[in-house]
Amino acid sequence: MTYLFNKPSAFANELIEGFVAAHAAKVRQVPGGVVRSTRSKPGSVAVVIGGGSGHYPAFAGLVGQGMAHGAAMGNLFASPSAQQICTVARAANNGGGVLLTFGNYAGDVLHFGLARDRLIAEGIPCEIVLVTDDISSASKAEREKRRGVAGDLVVFKAAAVAAEQGLSLVEVTRIARLANQRIRSFGVAFSGCTLPGADHPLFSVPQGKMALGMGIHGEPGIGESDIPTADELAEVLVKSLLDELPDDVANARGQRVGVILNGLGSVKYEELFVVYRRIAQLLSEAGIEAVDAEVGEFVTSFNMAGASLTLFWLDEELEALWRAPADAPAFRKGSVIAAEPLAAQKIDEAVTINVPHASEASKKAAQCMVGVLNNLAQTIVTHADELGRIDAVAGDGDHGIGMERGALAAAEKAAEMLLRGAGAGTLLQQSADAWADRAGGTSGALWGMALNALGTVFGDEKYPDAHSVAEGVRKAKEGIMHFGKAKVGDKTLVDVLVPFSDTLSARVQAGDDFALAWELAAQEADTQAKATAHLRPKMGRARPLAEKSLGTPDAGAVSLALIVNALLPLFSGTKSSPITPREEQV
């Protein structure tokens, strides 16, 4: 269990505050995460990493000289939002562009992808490299779908050293991708972790068993076995990795490898050294030379019991990067020339939002949208536990919690924007950012995109009508499918969003009253959400446990269907102006 915390909801923010206080000589806090507190070479590339909190030393502990320039930090096990990533990237930017690199998880892919687009639109060159080192999470043929685990350290360091050498964004990106191609990791777990305030583990492993290949959020691996001896575990780890060499390594014998034996949270260093003793013997017997081996905690899973082994297959260029000095709070190697500290800077947590002029009609619509978002939030709060239960069947069980955080944040921001005189478009766009920021994860990104699409279509001048609502939902559908890459049949909320949007648009175009059009679309959403129980997931954390997912609907699909059906009473009796209060209808 987790012993030391105040309010569970404040845990992530308070840990950042304490971390920065302890390491002020190396890092400083900015909204959304941390950046170096020392000067970097003007015109150089900035390497920005990130992901959910709960994986320390990843990600904040890997910011410093010879390592990353900044880290965006989401809530526990939830990706940072695009807004957080952009804020950290702007603060870290040295003028040579930004490389965003992170583990290959759906929420991170969405949020970092949105952040890249925003940064490029602002004139900041930006590239992305996903870390995909976990061999248990997908086959070699689908390597691009693999998760990023302790191999994060390798890619982050290689890219950061290349950036400090003054290489261009193109070259830094090339090196990061080369490092990723040359790493392989495999891990095991003996027990799950318990987050602050929870009374049971987020995920579990049967007593006396070891989960082979379990991910750092409890994602399923390739099976279970009895808990081995330390030597037997070393043999499992080494054999698993030597069974798959990088494409350009024909024979393991004679190769040099960087080695990382990573503890996942509660396995003690002494235990890791006992395991590494045998790993070193096995590598030597295979004719492989270990270079600068690292044994300790680098990417953890809160208090999860487990360990992983990473092999980094070196060439001359990569070895120089691996052995280069670094000085970050949680990773030090060799000796660096101390950089000049930055002058103390005040952290401005309150970002001033300029509220554009809005027509009275749009302000009236904004008032109704507050009611819509309040209704949405209450629906999610009521069903959060059930959504979490559904998600836990083949995921990590956090869908309900994330949706609740996001929906409440959106409703809170909507009320604030209404008091400030915002129109419907601005109110929805600001609520979208609040949802994405507070929820994090995949659902945060998707619902942020959905609300933002509606707000963009509504604008701040006209009163939204049925056609604009249908168009906004259509734009949301297109955006979610573009950034999320999901298709109908992949067992995601897209399986509900597409038929809902298509039905709503068709009925509005046919001239139906808005209430009837929404009712028919909501009925179709409910039908399709239930139908996802018969699908096998093809994306996200549930994909590796596809068979177990059969018989249970997708949590994201269910939550969308719940919401659109819960909103139906608000539109009862409406004709062409869907968000006008019923009593004002003639």
Side-chain angles (χ1 to χ4, degrees):
M1 64 179 293
T2 303
Y3 296 95
L4 302 176
F5 58 92
N6 296 310
K7 291 195 303 182
S9 60
F11 189 87
N13 289 333
E14 291 180 349
L15 78 84
I16 296 174
E17 185 180 345
F19 167 76
V20 172
H23 298 288
K26 294 181 176 67
V27 297
R28 63 185 177 91
Q29 186 174 2
V30 296
V34 299
V35 295
R36 292 185 190 179
S37 60
T38 55
R39 294 189 184 279
S40 299
K41 182 180 179 181
S44 62
V45 173
V47 176
V48 173
I49 63 178
S53 299
H55 302 301
Y56 191 86
F59 296 90
L62 304 180
V63 173
Q65 287 183 257
M67 293 299 292
H69 296 79
M73 300 173 64
N75 213 316
L76 292 174
F77 287 12
S79 63
S81 69
Q83 184 169 314
Q84 289 176 300
I85 297 161
C86 285
T87 302
V88 172
R90 294 185 196 109
N93 182 28
N94 302 312
V98 173
L99 174 67
L100 303 175
T101 179
F102 50 92
N104 185 26
Y105 299 90
D108 293 309
V109 172
L110 283 168
H111 285 291
F112 277 92
L114 289 168
R116 176 181 180 270
D117 287 353
R118 290 187 190 180
L119 292 169
I120 291 174
E122 294 172 12
I124 300 175
C126 186
E127 294 291 344
I128 280 179
V129 173
L130 280 66
V131 183
T132 55
D133 59 307
D134 184 359
I135 66 170
S136 65
S137 55
S139 67
K140 188 174 182 180
E142 294 185 307
R143 188 163 185 268
E144 74 284 352
K145 294 182 179 180
R146 288 178 171 174
R147 305 180 288 241
V149 286
D152 285 352
L153 172 65
V154 169
V155 176
F156 299 167
K157 186 174 189 297
V161 174
E164 294 201 337
Q165 291 175 348
L167 299 185
S168 68
L169 180 58
V170 170
E171 277 296 288
V172 172
T173 303
R174 177 191 67 81
I175 285 171
R177 288 178 178 154
L178 176 61
N180 185 56
Q181 292 167 10
R182 286 283 193 120
I183 48 175
R184 301 289 187 274
S185 298
F186 186 79
V188 300
F190 311 113
S191 71
C193 65
T194 304
L195 300 185
D199 57 6
H200 60 276
L202 187 63
F203 49 87
S204 61
V205 178
Q207 187 72 26
K209 295 291 184 178
M210 174 178 75
L212 298 165
M214 175 176 276
I216 58 175
H217 308 97
E219 304 94 333
I222 59 176
E224 295 173 353
S225 71
D226 293 335
I227 294 177
T229 65
D231 282 2
E232 289 169 343
L233 175 58
E235 290 159 11
V236 168
L237 296 174
V238 172
K239 182 182 185 305
S240 298
L241 295 183
L242 294 189
D243 281 347
E244 185 189 312
L245 303 179
D247 293 337
D248 55 351
V249 176
N251 193 325
R253 187 165 294 276
Q255 297 293 324
R256 294 166 65 82
V257 296
V259 185
I260 302 172
L261 180 58
N262 175 61
L264 285 166
S266 63
V267 172
K268 300 297 294 181
Y269 275 60
E270 290 88 343
E271 297 173 86
L272 293 174
F273 285 123
V274 173
V275 175
Y276 187 75
R277 157 194 158 276
R278 182 57 179 151
I279 289 173
Q281 293 170 358
L282 292 168
L283 292 176
S284 179
E285 291 168 6
I288 300 169
E289 184 175 351
V291 177
D292 279 8
E294 297 286 349
V295 178
E297 293 183 346
F298 304 100
V299 178
T300 65
S301 183
F302 217 72
N303 59 347
M304 177 177 173
S308 65
L309 178 66
T310 300
L311 297 183
F312 180 24
W313 298 86
L314 302 169
D315 60 17
E316 186 176 344
E317 179 181 38
L318 293 176
E319 182 169 341
L321 299 170
W322 175 239
R323 303 188 74 167
D327 187 19
F331 186 83
R332 300 176 186 177
K333 187 188 289 283
S335 177
V336 302
I337 299 175
E340 181 183 351
L342 291 167
Q345 299 184 23
K346 181 181 179 181
I347 301 171
D348 184 10
E349 290 285 359
V351 179
T352 302
I353 300 170
N354 294 321
V355 179
H357 173 269
S359 68
E360 289 304 314
S362 187
K363 290 180 182 179
K364 187 177 180 182
Q367 183 174 0
C368 296
M369 288 312 304
V370 170
V372 168
L373 289 172
N374 283 335
N375 179 285
L376 184 159
Q378 186 54 54
T379 299
I380 293 300
V381 170
T382 300
H383 294 91
D385 289 345
E386 175 64 9
L387 292 173
R389 185 197 65 77
I390 294 171
D391 187 42
V393 171
D396 56 14
D398 67 349
H399 182 74
I401 296 172
M403 286 288 290
E404 181 175 343
R405 285 197 304 252
L408 290 173
E412 180 183 330
K413 178 59 70 172
E416 175 194 332
M417 298 310 295
L418 182 67
L419 291 175
R420 297 184 60 185
T426 295
L427 181 144
L428 282 171
Q429 289 171 326
Q430 293 300 323
S431 296
D433 283 345
W435 188 314
D437 271 352
R438 191 78 61 83
T442 305
S443 66
L446 298 181
W447 278 93
M449 276 187 270
L451 293 184
N452 188 67
L454 285 166
T456 300
V457 172
F458 284 8
D460 291 328
E461 293 301 323
K462 297 181 179 179
Y463 198 99
D465 60 13
H467 290 279
S468 60
V469 173
E471 176 65 8
V473 173
R474 186 184 70 82
K475 291 285 189 183
K477 174 189 71 175
E478 291 178 350
I480 286 172
M481 294 181 73
H482 171 72
F483 284 100
K485 309 300 182 187
K487 307 181 296 295
V488 172
D490 285 348
K491 195 163 187 174
T492 71
L493 92 167
V494 166
D495 291 299
V496 170
L497 180 57
V498 169
F500 174 77
S501 174
D502 292 350
T503 303
L504 183 65
S505 293
R507 300 321 309 163
V508 168
Q509 289 296 328
D512 289 352
D513 289 348
F514 181 77
L516 176 59
W518 188 277
E519 181 179 4
L520 294 173
Q523 289 173 356
E524 182 65 15
D526 192 54
T527 299
Q528 296 305 322
K530 293 174 181 175
T532 62
H534 308 296
L535 298 175
R536 289 176 172 83
K538 298 178 182 178
M539 299 191 71
R541 295 178 186 172
R543 179 179 57 82
L545 207 59
E547 295 302 320
K548 188 175 181 180
S549 173
L550 282 174
T552 302
D554 177 70
V558 171
S559 59
L560 175 56
L562 281 171
I563 287 168
V564 297
N565 278 278
L567 294 179
L568 184 59
L570 298 182
F571 306 143
S572 178
T574 62
K575 296 181 180 180
S576 62
S577 300
I579 57 174
T580 302
R582 293 191 303 276
E583 60 269 21
E584 292 185 15
Q585 296 296 320
V586 178

